[in-house]
Amino acid sequence: MRLKTYLTSMLISVATMAIMANATVADEPASEVNTRFTLAANRTFKAFDPQQEQTWQRPFFFMQLADTQYGMFTGNKGFEQEVALVQQAVKHINRLRPRFVIVCGDLTNATPNQPHYQSQVSQFHHDFSKVDAEIPLVCVCGNHDVGNRPTQESIASYQGNFGDDYFSFWVGGVYNIVLNSSVLKDPSGAAEVLTAQQAWLDQQLQDAKTTKPKHILLFQHHPFFLEQEEEPDQYFNIPLERRTPLLQQLKQADVRAVFAGHYHRNAYGRAGAMEMITTGPVGRPLGKDSSGFRIVIVDETKIQHQYWAMDDVPEKINLPADQSND
Ligand SMILES: [Zn+2]
């Protein structure tokens, strides 16, 4: 009798422990998704304090990723290869500990109205939830995330999963602007979004004249151009009709560099002093450069950047000496 009671109570406590363990596991992904992927809101990124971060602190580095594009290797039939590559990237991120990570679009291969979109989004959330909670993860929308012809609906779907499609944020004295380049590529389905984004951008660049950041950096999915600022229109760049006036405006505002993806290869060009940097994919490469990402070192007067293939990433990043203590 006593043994039976003992065994029963044992069973109850084991069952309780199992329920508690399950509850903990079940709660984790939801809370990670809710907090981590909704930080781009009200046209800013809430992980960074807008007042405190306006001041230059010390040299830092961030990591720029692009085109994780879950589903591209198999034409949406699975995403095992993308998962393996992202897991490798996340390991590097957690070891190197950048100030932030930014993923420049085409997070998934399926667009919001296609089958498998939601499972690819869930896998992206799941894999990137493993990035250490102290390292902010900034997402940028690409043509696969909002469609080649974005609409209010496709943009709203993106916002539900990843937050705002355009916004700005300060990090240690550097002003970062994120644009929705898909409406620059083809505004025909969402002309009012492009108009609103342009008015907002005018204001951001106007404000920067007073706030005087050390650098202004711009992030979007499509490169304005691959190598030459006046190169002819093609699939991988922004049409000259909208490219030319915007480059003019960015150069005048002293934007230091534009970071993009979309090309699935690396490419480099300049518009005056402004660098146009196109970064190869975390996912499927389309050229000689293997899957990888870019590390960007930000110093008070300059930035340095380098693309690293996933297998060649250094153990540690050495930052320039902190001049502020001299
Ligand atoms: Zn793309």
Side-chain angles (χ1 to χ4, degrees), residues 268-305:
Y268 306 94
R270 267 181 190 278
M274 184 174 78
E275 279 188 81
M276 179 66 242
I277 300 152
T278 303
T279 293
V282 170
R284 185 179 174 184
L286 294 176
K288 63 176 169 51
D289 298 313
S290 309
S291 301
F293 51 76
R294 188 172 300 280
I295 292 178
V296 185
I297 298 177
V298 183
D299 204 348
E300 195 167 359
T301 57
K302 63 177 189 297
I303 65 163
Q304 290 167 271
H305 56 88

Side-chain angles (χ1 to χ4, degrees), residues 32-321:
E32 281 166 357
V33 168
N34 290 341
T35 55
R36 166 144 252 165
F37 299 99
T38 52
L39 291 171
N42 302 321
R43 303 292 170 217
T44 187
F45 193 82
K46 294 197 257 176
F48 296 106
D49 183 299
Q51 296 308 317
Q52 203 177 315
E53 295 291 342
Q54 281 193 24
T55 314
W56 172 258
Q57 292 156 352
R58 62 190 70 82
F60 66 91
F61 76 96
F62 65 88
M63 287 163 64
Q64 185 222 356
L65 283 56
D67 300 280
T68 47
Q69 214 159 329
Y70 283 76
M72 184 181 176
F73 274 109
T74 59
N76 296 337
K77 289 185 181 71
F79 35 60
E80 271 176 42
Q81 283 168 277
E82 286 90 356
V83 169
L85 287 160
V86 168
Q87 284 176 348
Q88 237 186 315
V90 169
K91 244 187 204 175
H92 290 308
I93 292 166
N94 287 339
R95 183 187 71 255
L96 295 171
R97 310 199 65 75
R99 192 66 215 287
F100 66 95
V101 177
I102 186 160
V103 192
C104 280
D106 285 358
L107 312 176
T108 64
N109 190 55
T111 54
N113 57 357
Q114 287 176 336
H116 309 294
Y117 173 68
Q118 212 44 251
S119 66
Q120 294 175 6
V121 167
S122 300
Q123 192 64 41
F124 181 100
H125 283 161
H126 178 264
D127 294 342
F128 278 97
S129 294
K130 306 288 187 250
V131 169
D132 192 297
E134 287 175 8
I135 305 171
L137 179 82
V138 184
C139 294
V140 179
C141 69
N143 54 306
H144 284 259
D145 305 305
V146 294
N148 281 322
R149 184 175 178 274
T151 59
Q152 295 270 17
E153 294 72 38
S154 69
I155 294 168
S157 166
Y158 174 82
Q159 288 168 330
N161 291 311
F162 298 105
D164 279 356
D165 55 332
Y166 62 91
F167 53 97
S168 64
F169 58 100
W170 285 86
V171 179
V174 175
Y175 194 45
N176 303 283
I177 299 174
V178 171
L179 291 185
N180 176 345
S181 61
S182 296
V183 291
L184 283 167
K185 181 70 179 175
D186 180 359
S188 66
E192 63 292 346
V193 175
L194 178 57
T195 306
Q197 174 173 263
Q198 185 58 49
W200 173 86
L201 177 64
D202 295 347
Q203 190 59 54
Q204 305 312 296
L205 297 176
Q206 186 61 37
D207 292 350
K209 287 182 185 168
T210 341
T211 49
K212 296 194 187 328
K214 293 292 177 187
H215 309 283
I216 303 175
L217 305 179
L218 194 139
F219 300 89
Q220 60 186 28
H221 179 61
H222 297 77
F224 283 108
F225 57 91
L226 296 173
E227 287 172 355
Q228 304 292 331
E229 62 175 307
E230 286 163 12
E231 70 192 24
D233 294 355
Q234 53 124 308
Y235 176 75
F236 289 108
N237 62 25
I238 295 293
L240 280 161
E241 181 189 353
R242 286 176 291 282
R243 187 199 316 167
T244 309
L246 203 40
L247 285 180
Q248 188 60 24
Q249 183 184 19
L250 298 176
K251 283 194 272 188
Q252 267 172 11
D254 214 10
V255 170
R256 174 72 185 76
V258 178
F259 293 89
H262 185 54
Y263 191 39
H264 292 252
R265 281 153 280 199
N266 290 297
Y268 306 94
R270 267 181 190 278
M274 184 174 78
E275 279 188 81
M276 179 66 242
I277 300 152
T278 303
T279 293
V282 170
R284 185 179 174 184
L286 294 176
K288 63 176 169 51
D289 298 313
S290 309
S291 301
F293 51 76
R294 188 172 300 280
I295 292 178
V296 185
I297 298 177
V298 183
D299 204 348
E300 195 167 359
T301 57
K302 63 177 189 297
I303 65 163
Q304 290 167 271
H305 56 88
Q306 189 171 343
Y307 184 81
W308 296 93
M310 217 59 90
D311 293 334
D312 302 334
V313 181
E315 266 309 296
K316 183 176 184 299
I317 301 303
N318 294 311
L319 289 172

